[in-house]
Amino acid sequence: MCTGGCAKCLGSTLIPLAVLCTLANILLFFPGGKVEESAHITDEVWYFGGILGSGVLMIFPALVFLGLQNNDCCGCCGNRSCGKRFAMFSSIIFAAVGVVGAGYCFILSAVALNKGPKCQSQGGWTYPFEAGDYLGDHGLWIKCTSPDNIVPWHLTLFSLLLVMSGIQAVLCGIQVVNGIFGTISCQFGCLNASQYWP
């Protein structure tokens, strides 16, 4: 079972997703595409879900997964050194870190979508929407008078973060299963190899 090749494929997919999540989070600091005071930016943006959770924390598992191609268990049978099974086992730990990071971004994005953006309304800079009511009723969007287009901006970027972090969590979950199979197959390969090597 070439689990290292599968891990490399997962790693090469995680890197562009991490970059896109980071960019989406950065764009959220410019509501409606404009520079605003920090107090006028939605609170969830400051938790850096896309930058830390789906960005920085996702780079580590991605790099580990890419490196597993060189430590593929397909080549460990008949070799005295069975350190490759440790590499596959460590990928499970890094995949778990990736799941946590992606889960953090996913939860923050879901909360932000439900809460709606902070914007200028009749009551000043507030959150004029309640429990996601604006998601199904576009007529409510007029409650936000400033910045321009803040609701679609908020909705689009947090939706992208929600989808991309969900994909990242699934990919890291796949690597957990892949790593378990890789560790087990390497273990059996090394046990068989030990019959031929003193």
Side-chain angles (χ1 to χ4, degrees):
M1 179 186 297
C2 292
T3 51
C6 177
K8 182 179 181 182
C9 180
L10 294 174
S12 60
T13 306
L14 286 174
I15 288 179
L17 285 173
V19 172
L20 290 173
C21 286
T22 301
L23 290 175
N25 199 146
I26 291 171
L27 288 174
L28 283 165
F29 282 103
F30 304 95
K34 298 177 182 177
V35 177
E36 291 287 343
E37 294 180 23
S38 59
H40 297 166
I41 296 172
T42 304
D43 291 343
E44 284 73 24
V45 177
W46 292 103
Y47 296 135
F48 302 107
I51 295 173
L52 291 178
S54 286
V56 174
L57 278 179
M58 203 55 61
I59 294 297
F60 297 111
L63 294 177
V64 169
F65 299 167
L66 287 172
L68 286 177
Q69 176 68 36
N70 299 326
N71 292 318
D72 196 351
C73 280
C74 293
C76 82
C77 299
N79 193 332
R80 285 178 185 258
S81 173
C82 290
K84 294 176 177 68
R85 68 179 168 209
F86 176 75
M88 291 306 297
F89 178 74
S90 66
S91 77
I92 299 171
I93 297 170
F94 279 97
V97 170
V99 170
V100 170
Y104 174 69
C105 182
F106 186 89
I107 291 169
L108 278 179
S109 300
V111 169
L113 285 171
N114 185 59
K115 188 176 179 182
K118 179 186 270 189
C119 61
Q120 178 75 44
S121 63
Q122 291 181 350
W125 284 90
T126 61
Y127 294 93
F129 307 114
E130 296 179 7
D133 56 353
Y134 75 104
L135 294 172
D137 187 355
H138 293 187
L140 294 175
W141 292 12
I142 60 172
K143 288 184 177 181
C144 283
T145 57
S146 176
D148 295 335
N149 301 316
I150 181 59
V151 178
W153 184 269
H154 176 92
L155 188 59
T156 300
L157 291 173
F158 271 115
S159 294
L160 285 172
L161 283 174
L162 187 78
V163 171
M164 290 188 291
S165 61
I167 293 171
Q168 288 176 328
V170 169
L171 293 177
C172 288
I174 290 171
Q175 179 53 33
V176 169
V177 176
N178 183 45
I180 291 171
F181 281 124
T183 303
I184 292 171
S185 64
C186 237
Q187 177 67 29
F188 285 126
C190 291
L191 288 174
N192 291 334
S194 66
Q195 298 176 4
Y196 305 100
W197 295 91

